[in-house]
Amino acid sequence: MVATAATASLFPVSSPQPDSGAKNSGNHKGGLGSVDLRGIKSKSTSSNGLQVKTNAQAPTKVNGTRVGVMDGLKNDDNSSSGAPRTFINQLPDWSMLLAAITTIFLAAEKQWMMLDWKTKRPDMLADLDPLGLGRIVEDGFVFRQNFSIRSYEIGADRTASVETLMNHLQETALNHVKNAGLLGDGFGSTPEMSKRNLFWVVTKMQVLVDRYPTWGDVVQVDTWVAASGKNGMRRDWLIRDCKTGEILTRASSNWVMMNKVTRRLSKIPDEVRAEIEQYFVDIPPVVDDDNRKLPKLDENTADHVRNGLTPKWSDLDVNQHVNNVKYVGWILESAPKHVVEDYELASITLEYRRECMKDSVLQSLTSLLAGGEMADSDGVDCQHLLRLEGGGEIVKGRTKWRPKNAQQIQPHQSLPY
């Protein structure tokens, strides 16, 4: 009876008509009569078997009049009632929502394909370091990073300064060490160098500038390392125009290790060599070594002298000495005014002699070579010395200047900010 009650609660059967009951009363034999449960009819046969057939009638209404599940009960007379109600028919109409979602996805895919094929700005290309974080290329031997020339990095000629380019060189060198997984707790030091209180110091830097980038340009900087003697390392750079691939600047440098505590030069330990030599490439430097001897330069032979130069706190790096790029600005402090205004720096060679600390007071000396005070059409060569006022040499240098392009912006013209 419990089963009968449960079945009746799920499938309520309407009472048969009197005439229908009389028609089938003689054929029951204690079995089920002719009952249609949602399209399923059962009839008793002479062999007391049960014959089952399906009636696949679709509901006549989905929206509008609600169609119940139990409204489709029929008897043998096929008396008409409402279309059968199903669970699916009672759900909301999801077709509109699915159509909207599909439309959104198709539109997004179309926009993505348009972005993928149309011409993009060089600094936004995915394969050209869009975020400017840099990456290692050329089978792990070259580090590449992009830089956009900012408005505060250009001078009166509307071109980037040589200090800006050298800052890019230094940044890529440090990021190369970091991306190679060799950055310890020092400024560009490997883990084994950090254990021994060692850090890198530059002894010589040569930079050749074929063309200076301008405001808004995007440059691509490549850098790699090579062995330099038994206890040194050489690092080279190429700066290209990211849009055209034109080489703008070439630079080469030599580095040695210094002990942070004793402030003395150190040999490369075997453990450190094992860390770094796997990244060395066996190719010649991109700049030929300028090993010409320069004449002695002092206050008596210098054409221009600038005294009283002192480093600011912002000029120091994490190794507590003046950043090597800062020396370039101090050297140019004593360059003749007419050279700076009428010529542009084509190349610079710097030989670093000793550290400059935060309490140092410096003197900048410059002497003109090859042409004297009136330079020829090929350019001007200058000799430089940056030293302590007590006489100790900090940096010796040589610069070559070429006439400025007549098409470049004149000092009195304003930038379209």
Side-chain angles (χ1 to χ4, degrees), residues 185-220:
D185 59 357
F187 196 52
S189 299
T190 67
E192 291 295 334
M193 291 174 62
S194 299
K195 293 178 183 178
R196 295 163 175 78
N197 290 319
L198 299 176
F199 64 96
W200 292 108
V201 292
V202 59
T203 59
K204 188 172 184 178
M205 173 77 75
Q206 297 182 91
V207 181
L208 273 64
V209 183
D210 296 325
R211 181 175 68 84
Y212 285 90
T214 61
W215 173 39
D217 287 349
V218 179
V219 296
Q220 181 185 86

Side-chain angles (χ1 to χ4, degrees), residues 263 313 316-322 355-358:
R263 314 305 286 190
W313 178 257
L316 304 180
D317 60 26
V318 298
N319 294 317
Q320 299 301 310
H321 62 197
V322 174
E355 290 183 285
C356 178
M357 311 306 288
K358 62 180 180 179

Side-chain angles (χ1 to χ4, degrees), residues 223-280:
T223 184
W224 59 92
V225 291
S228 177
K230 293 182 178 181
N231 290 294
M233 181 182 73
R234 189 187 85 235
R235 178 174 287 277
D236 291 352
W237 294 270
L238 282 178
I239 300 181
R240 294 183 175 91
D241 186 305
C242 196
K243 184 177 181 180
T244 64
E246 174 192 1
I247 295 178
L248 306 180
T249 302
R250 293 166 288 158
S252 185
S253 61
N254 295 326
W255 300 74
V256 295
M257 290 187 181
M258 176 178 284
N259 188 286
K260 190 180 298 184
V261 178
T262 63
R263 314 305 286 190
R264 294 181 179 274
L265 299 182
S266 171
K267 293 182 179 180
I268 300 180
D270 292 337
E271 295 82 359
V272 177
R273 190 180 302 275
E275 286 180 317
I276 63 177
E277 67 181 358
Q278 58 182 314
Y279 297 98
F280 288 172

